[in-house]
């Protein structure tokens, strides 16, 4: 795949996973076992048409568009404010489903907090709200050293989620995404992605948090039974679930549907999973009917083209 195609594959991968999950968000796993999601549904939890994506994709697109003009934390944070205040980069001109930690960070930034200091720093601020939107950072990997890429990834997480645990989750995810962008297979990307961040997360700033990531860093997340995979809003759960779905599937469709049907925070689990699956399988291997149903499809394609022109 060309770089432009990989960028589009990742962005489309996020928003299709998101849109598949939106109608059944908060539905429990037992209910979805009885009536699993197999296609793009409409209405449901948020009463929105099929193909509608949520804050996960909106903030992903805000970040991606900000990166088209270079790297500026204040510009990224301002784009998040523009989303919240003016429905910018929403599917249908309406903001819905904002996480509390993200909301409070936007409020603090608007009150004058520096972008890198706006995010929640407490242990209770480890929802998946920065992980869900972080994928565009991976597209910068050719223009930065790996260490700088991960450092900037941490900073972008800190706009809304500044606790080290959220920063680490984003760093691991981006490291694996970079391996996929470089052409690695799933198992290799998982293994090498973990290896490349090992020295960063052995430093005093992060080492005390690493016991929370034991199931991920074991290299054996895929071997866990489904009953041990949680799919709520906690950042560790979302990272684990996304890797588990990715490593236990053999197509984009299977991967994101598996993520949605875990239940719970369905849109975010599938968005995070879908970003990696999109890069690996490619947009050409995503169901065309799903792509056609996606809100603002042409705007997303245009965004991918603009981002590609910067990060060749």
């Amino acid at each position: 795949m060309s770089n432009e195609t990989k960028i589009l594959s990742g962005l489309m991968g996020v928003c299709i996973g998101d849109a598949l999950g939106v109608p059944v968000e908060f539905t429990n796993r037992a209910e979805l076992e009885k009536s699993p999601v197999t296609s793009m549904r409409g209405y449901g939890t948020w009463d929105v048409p099929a193909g509608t994506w949520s804050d996960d994709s909106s903030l992903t697109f805000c970040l991606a568009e900000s990166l088209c003009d270079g790297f500026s934390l204040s510009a990224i944070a301002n784009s998040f404010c523009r989303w919240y205040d003016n429905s910018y980069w929403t599917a249908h001109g309406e903001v819905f489903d904002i996480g509390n930690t993200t909301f409070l960070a936007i409020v603090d930034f608007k009150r004058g907090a520096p972008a890198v200091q706006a995010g929640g720093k407490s242990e209770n601020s480890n929802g998946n709200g920065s992980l869900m939107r972080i994928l565009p950072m991976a597209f910068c990997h050719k223009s930065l050293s790996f260490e700088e890429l991960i450092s900037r990834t941490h900073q972008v997480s800190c706009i809304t989620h500044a606790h080290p645990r959220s920063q680490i989750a984003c760093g691991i995810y981006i490291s694996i995404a970079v391996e996929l962008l470089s052409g690695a297979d799933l198992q290799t990307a998982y293994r090498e992605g973990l290896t490349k961040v090992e020295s960063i997360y052995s430093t005093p700033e992060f080492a005390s948090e690493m016991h929370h990531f034991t199931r991920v860093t074991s290299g054996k997340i895929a071997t866990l039974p489904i009953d041990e995979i949680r799919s709520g809003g906690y950042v560790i759960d979302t990272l684990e679930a996304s890797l588990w779905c990715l490593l236990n599937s053999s197509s984009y469709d299977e991967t994101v549907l598996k993520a949605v049907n875990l239940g719970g925070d369905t849109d975010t689990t599938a968005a995070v999973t879908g970003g990696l699956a999109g890069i690996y399988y490619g947009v050409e291997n995503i169901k065309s009917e799903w792509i056609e149903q996606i809100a603002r499809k042409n705007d997303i394609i245009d965004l991918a083209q603009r981002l590609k022109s910067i990060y060749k």
Side-chain angles (χ1 to χ4, degrees), residues 146-191:
F146 181 75
E147 291 72 18
E148 182 63 20
L149 174 65
I150 299 303
S151 175
R152 289 190 180 187
T153 296
H154 292 163
Q155 293 170 41
V156 173
S157 175
C158 285
I159 296 172
T160 57
H161 293 69
H163 192 277
R165 198 173 308 163
S166 289
Q167 295 182 52
I168 294 167
C170 289
I172 290 173
Y173 181 81
I174 291 300
S175 186
I176 293 169
V178 167
E179 294 302 307
L180 292 172
L181 286 168
S182 300
D185 63 68
L186 295 176
Q187 288 291 345
T188 302
Y190 174 42
R191 183 177 64 252

Side-chain angles (χ1 to χ4, degrees), residues 195-230:
T195 298
K196 288 190 175 178
V197 293
E198 192 173 346
S199 61
I200 295 172
Y201 296 137
S202 63
T203 59
E205 181 181 3
F206 298 111
S208 63
E209 284 290 317
M210 289 309 294
H211 68 281
H212 295 286
F213 294 87
T214 301
R215 300 206 312 177
V216 170
T217 58
S218 70
K220 299 178 180 178
I221 189 72
T223 65
L224 295 175
I226 190 171
D227 290 346
E228 293 187 23
I229 299 300
R230 298 176 290 270

Side-chain angles (χ1 to χ4, degrees), residues 43-55:
Y43 305 97
T45 302
W46 295 101
D47 196 29
V48 290
T52 303
W53 27 271
S54 72
D55 58 329

Side-chain angles (χ1 to χ4, degrees), residues 134-147:
I134 205 69
L135 183 71
M137 291 305 300
F139 303 134
C140 309
H141 75 282
K142 290 184 177 180
S143 60
L144 300 169
S145 70
F146 181 75
E147 291 72 18

Side-chain angles (χ1 to χ4, degrees), residues 21 23-37 41 257-264 266:
V24 292
E25 188 176 12
F26 312 128
T27 304
N28 65 45
R29 193 173 300 178
E31 291 180 66
L32 287 170
E33 286 175 353
K34 296 176 183 176
S35 180
V37 173
R41 298 181 182 179
L257 291 174
K258 191 167 287 182
V260 169
N261 288 314
L262 288 173
T266 51

Side-chain angles (χ1 to χ4, degrees), residues 250-294:
S250 56
S251 68
Y252 175 85
D253 304 353
E254 181 187 3
T255 304
V256 291
L257 291 174
K258 191 167 287 182
V260 169
N261 288 314
L262 288 173
D265 197 2
T266 51
D267 58 334
T268 302
T269 303
V272 173
T273 305
L276 298 181
I279 290 171
Y280 182 67
Y281 292 107
V283 69
E284 67 276 12
N285 290 310
I286 297 174
K287 283 185 177 180
S288 59
E289 58 263 39
W290 289 356
I291 294 174
E292 290 303 315
Q293 287 177 285
I294 282 294

